[in-house]
Amino acid sequence: AAPSPSGYDSAFPADFVFGVAAASAQLEGAASEDGKGESVWDRFARIPGKVHNGDTPEVACDHYHRFDEDFALMASLGVKTYRLSIAWPRIYPQGDGEVNLKGIDFYRRLFASMKKHGIEPWVTLFHWDLPQALEDRGGWTSRLTVDAFGRYADTVVKEFAANVKHWITLNEIVCFTLLGYGTGTKAPGRRETPKVVNQTYHHALLCHGHGVRAVRQYGGKGAIVGLTDNCGVAVPVTETPADIAAAKAWFIDRNAQVLGAIHAGKYTENFLKRVGADAPDVKPGDFALISLPTDFLGVNIYSATYVRAGKNGAAYEALPVPTNYPRADSPWLRLVPQCIYWGTKLVADCYGHKAVYITENGCGYDDEPVVNGEVFDTHRRDYLRAHLREAHRAIADGVPLKGYFLWSFIDNYEWEDGYARRFGIVHCDFKTQVRTPKLSARYYADVMRLRKIL
Ligand code: PNW
């Protein structure tokens, strides 16, 4: 590639993966078609007051019927890699029991279309759409869900091993456990005790292990597998040894439950001390499964917490966020581009990962109208550029960052924020299903094509 006008070399390594991401419940629609079972999100969305505007995933982007056009659009933007998820209730409408052959057939047709358009799939086994039938038997609080997931993972990997070489076990354990069973802001909307919530984490960790085992057993030659985690990211206030050490200490504490446990092959002493009597019940052999070696770690990074050296012997101090600190329309999405550098560096340094992928990064805004066939999301273009710069800095500093998936390809069902909150680089008109690539899609297409920051 030609040097930039400033002489700054922003080229990415030749094997760096650029992609886009989405998830079954957020874009497929067809929520009760071809034998699909009800998911916890189908149910939760119908409880008044739970989801903005009462929006449901029933139709979403109607991707179920439009995937071929969607992949044509992706290909036209130069997308070569797409992270998607499989809807568990399409494969097993009741969570386990009978396989739904129409569900298998749908993904077969979908993978064939991707192949036709030259797009490589990265497949997440579970991105939050738990079959409601399993929730009725306890959901993530029950070990029944772990057994059912094991069978589901085996079926999916066996069925699609010829189409899929890149597997992700689960998406963001903390989100679907803590927010689904603790705060109750996500499906199924339960508010359980810390002890029960910790048990949901443990069950999710076991499912991650089952996913890894399934890929090793049935994935075939060249198949690779990892977890996608939404680790809390610390950004040191100043990049000085003292603040960096503090950021690292905060990071290890904050991520003890998932990444720390997987890495250590047990719950760490600090973690057990912190949770005391609320520690999850662990059965013999659990951690042999949980800590099976993986090939990469996926991290979803959108934002960060500022951390500095603590006072009076404290290891760290996390700073409060002033109300005027810049953010996207999602209140949790504060604009801290260095989250990419520090997030990927900390997971590699603390847990020794040899390959790290950013499996999601992006920003959500409410007001993105189509004006004369265009959407001027310069705010998203700026967000992407700033975060790609930090990805580039990480690579230059030796962080084993191997790829970047933008969330999301298209505006979709943003969970409890419904359809109002748009994360896509392609605009979706949810009334007409018309797709309009935004300015940011053109920008990202150029980045992917030239493989450098523009
Ligand atoms: C991720 N937080 O969720 C999910 O993987 C996607 O399905 C989702 O659409 C996307 O990010 C945008 O929200 C998150 O509160 C939800 O920090 C909440 C948080 C982070 C990620």
Side-chain angles (χ1 to χ4, degrees):
S4 75
S6 67
Y8 171 67
D9 178 10
S10 68
F12 280 82
D15 57 355
F16 190 82
V17 174
F18 284 105
V20 294
S24 46
Q26 294 183 270
L27 87 165
E28 285 179 359
S32 26
E33 219 167 302
D34 289 339
K36 177 179 162 291
E38 189 185 17
S39 83
V40 291
W41 275 94
D42 295 326
R43 175 75 62 96
F44 180 72
R46 290 197 159 77
I47 305 173
K50 294 295 186 192
V51 174
H52 174 82
N53 196 35
D55 290 343
T56 75
E58 187 71 36
V59 179
C61 309
D62 195 33
H63 181 69
Y64 191 84
H65 301 109
R66 296 168 196 263
F67 62 80
D68 202 49
E69 293 116 273
D70 285 340
F71 294 140
L73 176 56
M74 270 188 206
S76 77
L77 294 169
V79 172
K80 302 237 179 314
T81 319
Y82 171 46
R83 173 177 174 236
L84 66 143
S85 75
I86 290 195
W88 185 349
R90 272 195 209 291
I91 307 299
Y92 284 105
Q94 298 303 313
D96 57 9
E98 286 285 302
V99 177
N100 175 31
L101 294 177
K102 285 188 174 165
I104 304 273
D105 180 62
F106 165 65
Y107 290 107
R108 253 194 227 309
R109 288 183 284 119
L110 183 131
F111 289 130
S113 170
M114 287 181 70
K115 190 168 184 186
K116 180 178 86 185
H117 292 291
I119 302 167
E120 179 79 17
W122 284 53
V123 172
T124 308
L125 291 170
F126 180 73
H127 199 128
W128 305 359
D129 39 3
L130 186 76
Q132 179 63 41
L134 288 177
E135 178 54 37
D136 294 341
R137 291 189 271 158
W140 286 103
T141 69
S142 165
R143 218 156 155 127
L144 283 175
T145 294
V146 178
D147 302 335
F149 182 88
R151 290 188 287 274
Y152 161 68
D154 286 354
T155 300
V156 168
V157 176
K158 270 187 212 166
E159 288 291 340
F160 304 119
N163 311 90
V164 180
K165 286 297 156 205
H166 305 90
W167 297 95
I168 292 166
T169 54
L170 308 176
N171 182 70
E172 299 193 352
I173 290 178
V174 171
C175 273
F176 69 83
T177 53
L178 181 63
L179 305 184
Y181 295 82
T183 65
T185 47
K186 291 197 187 292
R190 288 166 61 174
R191 301 185 72 164
E192 304 289 347
T193 61
K195 167 94 187 167
V196 172
V197 173
N198 287 335
Q199 199 63 44
T200 65
Y201 278 89
H202 186 66
H203 293 155
L205 287 174
L206 286 165
C207 289
H208 161 68
H210 271 300
V212 175
R213 181 198 48 73
V215 172
R216 298 294 182 235
Q217 226 167 331
Y218 305 113
K221 236 182 110 202
I224 64 169
V225 62
L227 172 73
T228 275
D229 187 49
N230 57 320
C231 51
V233 173
V235 165
V237 175
T238 64
E239 296 192 358
T240 54
D243 283 356
I244 291 170
K248 197 167 177 173
W250 181 95
F251 181 83
I252 287 174
D253 261 7
R254 171 62 181 264
N255 298 299
Q257 187 132 21
V258 174
L259 294 181
I262 292 174
H263 177 66
K266 59 178 185 189
Y267 289 116
T268 60
E269 252 141 64
N270 274 344
F271 171 74
L272 291 174
K273 216 163 94 192
R274 192 169 80 213
V275 294
D278 293 329
D281 298 328
V282 178
K283 288 195 175 164
D286 280 2
F287 269 99
L289 188 63
I290 290 170
S291 55
L292 282 174
T294 55
D295 303 298
F296 64 88
L297 178 70
V299 281
N300 294 350
I301 304 180
Y302 292 85
S303 189
T305 299
Y306 279 108
V307 173
R308 68 177 177 187
K311 293 195 184 83
N312 308 322
Y316 53 77
E317 182 190 3
L319 299 188
V321 186
T323 49
N324 61 356
Y325 191 89
R327 61 165 175 87
D329 283 338
S330 301
W332 51 270
L333 215 164
R334 296 183 287 265
L335 305 177
V336 192
Q338 312 94 285
C339 65
I340 296 293
Y341 176 85
W342 286 103
T344 56
K345 184 170 170 54
L346 286 168
V347 290
D349 286 358
C350 296
Y351 310 120
H353 286 284
K354 300 276 183 290
V356 178
Y357 290 84
I358 294 162
T359 38
E360 287 180 27
N361 170 244
C363 57
Y365 286 92
D366 296 345
D367 187 23
E368 297 194 325
V370 181
V371 179
N372 297 328
E374 292 196 82
V375 179
F376 296 106
D377 60 338
T378 44
H379 45 288
R380 185 168 289 101
R381 172 261 180 226
D382 288 352
Y383 179 99
L384 295 176
R385 186 175 197 279
H387 287 73
L388 287 168
R389 275 257 189 173
E390 293 290 324
H392 193 265
R393 173 159 82 109
I395 297 165
D397 265 11
V399 175
L401 173 58
K402 306 292 184 193
Y404 173 94
F405 292 79
L406 192 161
W407 184 275
S408 181
F409 170 62
I410 185 166
D411 296 337
N412 58 46
Y413 185 66
E414 178 54 13
W415 308 114
E416 69 272 25
D417 294 324
Y419 295 105
R421 181 80 28 84
R422 297 174 179 276
F423 272 81
I425 53 171
V426 171
H427 182 276
C428 183
D429 182 321
F430 293 103
K431 288 200 185 80
T432 61
Q433 292 297 342
V434 169
R435 277 78 162 127
T436 307
K438 304 178 191 177
L439 178 99
S440 58
R442 310 288 176 206
Y443 170 76
Y444 191 53
D446 284 342
V447 169
M448 288 187 288
R449 183 166 53 86
L450 297 170
R451 310 184 58 76
K452 62 178 192 171
I453 302 164
L454 299 163

